[in-house]
Amino acid sequence: MVPILIGRIQTRLFLLALVGSAVTLALIPLLPGTAALTERYRAAFVVLAAVAVLGIGWELLYHLLMQFRWEKDWPSLFGLLTGVPEGLLLWALLRAGAVPAAGAAPPGWVFAVHFGAVWLAVWLVANGPMRVPFLRWRFRGGRLV
């Protein structure tokens, strides 16, 4: 079953909240920074929330683009590679100060490591372990609720 739009949005938000938060909690203390750890966590979770909000817009765009494909779906690798334009847009918004409450943009490599680790973990869970606790997930068009 091809995930429907609302199913992809639900899955994205669920995985960002669960897996993205876990990766962020584990990774942020390992990344260098001059601010206090609580401030770095706050900024990282603001970025994670921005990924979730921007992701809804991206899902709408991807849904439109998928209508031109015969199968009306992306190959799985495209799902991984879509992190590149999403990450670049978010980085540009952070640099422009367009993400409220994020503070100063982190160094580029710190952002890339955090965003890349979260994106890879979410993609891996969505394409593997997600199917174990949610047996009917793919038959319901990716909807969780």
Side-chain angles (χ1 to χ4, degrees), residues 5-59:
L5 178 61
I6 192 67
R8 287 194 316 272
I9 291 172
Q10 286 178 11
T11 300
R12 176 187 281 254
L13 295 177
F14 174 76
L15 289 176
L16 280 174
L18 189 68
V19 177
S21 293
V23 170
T24 298
L25 284 171
L27 186 63
I28 292 304
L30 303 176
L31 295 174
T34 57
L37 185 59
T38 55
E39 180 60 27
R40 292 179 14 219
Y41 270 130
R42 186 195 62 74
F45 278 102
V46 167
V47 169
L48 195 60
V51 170
V53 170
L54 288 173
I56 294 171
W58 281 108
E59 286 297 342

Side-chain angles (χ1 to χ4, degrees), residues 103-130:
W109 74 271
V110 171
F111 171 80
V113 167
H114 178 229
F115 183 87
V118 168
W119 192 264
L120 181 63
V122 165
W123 182 80
L124 286 171
V125 170
N127 286 290
M130 176 82 174

Side-chain angles (χ1 to χ4, degrees), residues 59-77:
E59 286 297 342
L60 295 172
L61 175 64
Y62 297 149
H63 184 74
L64 174 70
L65 293 174
M66 280 191 278
Q67 300 312 304
F68 297 105
R69 292 187 45 84
W70 178 265
E71 305 89 10
K72 306 284 191 251
D73 195 13
W74 296 119
S76 184
L77 182 62

